[in-house]
Amino acid sequence: MKTLNIGDLKARIPIIQGGMGVGISLSGLASAVANEGGIGVISAAGLGLLYKKLCPDNYTKAGNLGLKEEIRKAREKAKGIIGVNVMVALSDFAELVKTSIAEKVDVIFSGAGLPLDLPSFLKKDSVTKLVPIVSSARAVRIICEKWKSHYDYLPDAVVLEGPKAGGHLGYKENQLTDEHYALEELLPQVVQEVSRFEEMYGKKIPVIAAGGIYTGEDIKRVMDLGASGVQLGTRFVTTNECDASEAFKETYIQAKEQDIEIIKSPVGMPGRAIHCSFLEKVKAGLKQPKVCPFNCIKTCDISRSPYCIVTALYNAFKGNFENGYAFAGSNAWRATRIMSVHETITELLEGWKRASAPAVAPV
Ligand SMILES: Cc1cc2nc3c(=O)[nH]c(=O)nc-3n(C[C@H](O)[C@H](O)[C@H](O)COP(=O)(O)O)c2cc1C
């Protein structure tokens, strides 16, 4: 596989581990992927809850202290490239971005909304690369035009996340099964849109494909369509190094294909998750938040939300599925055992090699 170059950063293998909140990708998983030559990503979502003890009365402050701690731990454990995922929808987006830049993380990945003001946080001496996560060529155009005209900056790379991904999805529910929105349809459109800006301004902007990529063969398929790299989430959940509880990983191992479902998230976007008793109670209308403890998401309408999403995802991270649920990509049911990140990446590379080998004609 070719090196993935994001500006002056060179990932020996073009595999990014997608940021996964709440608590699913922290320094443990991110450093393991970085040490294999890929890009490891810490999720900034919900750190205010995970690190509550650092500042019990202030969710934002606790989250930022927690993020610093996770970046420091990842740097201690890894020699490679470390990123942070900060969703635009988070109320403390600006603070988390500022912390990531001040801590000199290599890359910020940002989606769940258009990160239109992301470059405004860079300082003259900042080293952090900025990578938006998008769902369409139109979103790429809007971001590139806005960043160029307001900040004289273009994305250092772009992640296109297709409708098979886990977590929140940047599509309407009816688009999720519409073939016009398949990753393989959207990828050439995004590559073409990006190449217009590359040509106009002479900057390389690699396109990274995400959503439903599970094997080396999948990687080969999207690279052939113009991707310079891939971002995988689900595949890395069932690893020893993944930061979630064993019970969280076990829900992936036990899941059948029909257990993967689309939910309506209080954030206002559809999401993909594994069916569990909590989601059944939500459907039956039994869950009601009494208070909004953290005001953590800009678009969450507490008066209409059936539950507090950050608390539900935090409960799932700890393995409590009576009061939470696991986000998961459409391939989550395919995992049969927990393995190391090293073994996972070796399998991916072998699959890619098999798919890339020239076909031998029968004698
Ligand atoms: C458990 C879980 C949590 C996720 N959390 C986030 C998140 O906090 N922010 C984000 O931008 N994407 C999130 N994602 C999306 C992943 O970063 C990744 O892009 C996506 O899952 C890729 O699709 P795949 O899971 O099929 O490989 C999450 C995905 C999963 C499975």
Side-chain angles (χ1 to χ4, degrees):
M1 278 189 207
K2 274 200 196 149
T3 308
L4 169 62
N5 297 331
I6 302 182
D8 57 357
L9 296 175
K10 290 184 195 322
R12 189 162 42 76
I13 55 168
I15 297 178
I16 298 168
Q17 160 259 306
M20 292 181 282
V22 167
I24 314 302
S25 72
L26 301 174
S27 52
L29 180 56
S31 59
V33 174
N35 278 333
E36 292 297 320
I39 299 182
V41 182
I42 296 165
S43 163
L47 289 177
L49 202 47
L50 266 87
Y51 278 92
K52 193 169 185 219
K53 63 176 187 300
L54 295 184
C55 194
D57 303 329
N58 189 326
Y59 176 86
T60 298
K61 204 164 171 197
N64 277 275
L65 290 170
L67 179 57
K68 269 192 196 172
E69 176 77 8
E70 288 299 326
I71 295 169
R72 189 188 55 74
K73 282 200 223 161
R75 288 280 185 229
E76 257 170 38
K77 288 191 237 169
K79 287 182 278 310
I81 303 173
I82 297 291
V84 172
N85 178 294
V86 191
M87 290 188 286
V88 180
L90 298 179
S91 306
D92 47 3
F93 170 79
E95 285 81 1
L96 293 165
V97 166
K98 283 183 206 161
T99 298
S100 304
I101 292 173
E103 293 298 310
K104 298 187 166 34
V105 293
D106 297 306
V107 199
I108 292 175
F109 295 90
S110 187
L114 299 184
L116 291 177
D117 62 351
L118 193 53
S120 70
F121 299 100
L122 289 177
K123 303 262 178 334
K124 267 205 183 90
D125 57 348
S126 297
V127 292
T128 305
K129 306 287 184 289
L130 304 180
V131 179
I133 303 172
V134 300
S135 321
S136 67
R138 183 171 169 270
V140 173
R141 180 172 47 75
I142 294 170
I143 291 170
C144 287
E145 282 173 354
K146 170 88 195 254
W147 283 21
K148 191 67 198 168
S149 69
H150 281 66
Y151 310 107
D152 193 23
Y153 198 92
L154 282 174
D156 295 292
V158 166
V159 175
L160 168 64
E161 193 181 72
K164 289 188 175 172
H168 288 115
L169 305 165
Y171 301 89
K172 297 203 176 83
E173 214 173 315
N174 65 318
Q175 295 172 337
L176 297 174
T177 47
D178 181 336
E179 61 188 31
H180 294 103
Y181 295 88
L183 179 65
E184 289 75 3
E185 275 298 306
L186 300 179
L187 181 56
Q189 298 170 20
V190 168
V191 169
Q192 196 186 0
E193 189 65 51
V194 162
S195 68
R196 281 199 320 115
F197 288 91
E198 287 184 307
E199 276 162 32
M200 243 185 301
Y201 300 108
K203 175 172 178 171
K204 278 253 160 262
I205 309 172
V207 175
I208 293 143
I213 300 169
Y214 201 77
T215 64
E217 288 79 359
D218 295 339
I219 297 178
K220 167 84 169 98
R221 201 177 57 248
V222 292
M223 299 287 237
D224 286 349
L225 290 171
S228 302
V230 289
Q231 173 168 296
L232 278 64
T234 298
R235 185 71 206 252
F236 286 115
V237 170
T238 47
T239 59
N240 299 314
E241 294 92 337
C242 168
D243 296 277
S245 62
E246 294 312 306
F248 186 98
K249 300 175 193 178
E250 196 54 29
T251 53
Y252 274 51
I253 305 290
Q254 298 303 329
K256 310 231 171 0
E257 193 169 2
Q258 60 271 23
D259 295 331
I260 315 295
E261 61 175 282
I262 299 299
I263 61 157
K264 280 191 174 65
S265 155
V267 172
M269 301 164 91
R272 184 173 279 107
I274 299 180
H275 185 77
C276 66
S277 58
F278 177 83
L279 288 175
E280 250 165 52
K281 283 187 265 182
V282 172
K283 268 186 217 152
L286 296 179
K287 282 273 154 190
Q288 285 298 327
K290 299 201 172 46
V291 285
C292 170
F294 313 113
N295 184 27
C296 67
I297 289 172
K298 292 173 198 160
T299 50
C300 185
D301 176 357
I302 191 65
S303 64
R304 290 165 48 178
S305 292
Y307 56 87
C308 165
I309 187 162
V310 75
T311 306
L313 296 179
Y314 176 61
N315 286 333
F317 150 78
K318 290 189 296 181
N320 173 355
F321 292 99
E322 284 299 315
N323 297 299
Y325 60 90
F327 270 148
S330 61
N331 283 316
W333 59 277
R334 291 170 71 173
T336 54
R337 67 186 175 92
I338 311 289
M339 54 171 95
S340 68
V341 164
H342 176 72
E343 204 182 339
T344 305
I345 289 188
T346 306
E347 259 191 37
L348 291 169
L349 293 177
E350 280 167 1
W352 178 83
K353 265 189 214 151
R354 267 195 311 276
S356 309
V360 181
V363 184

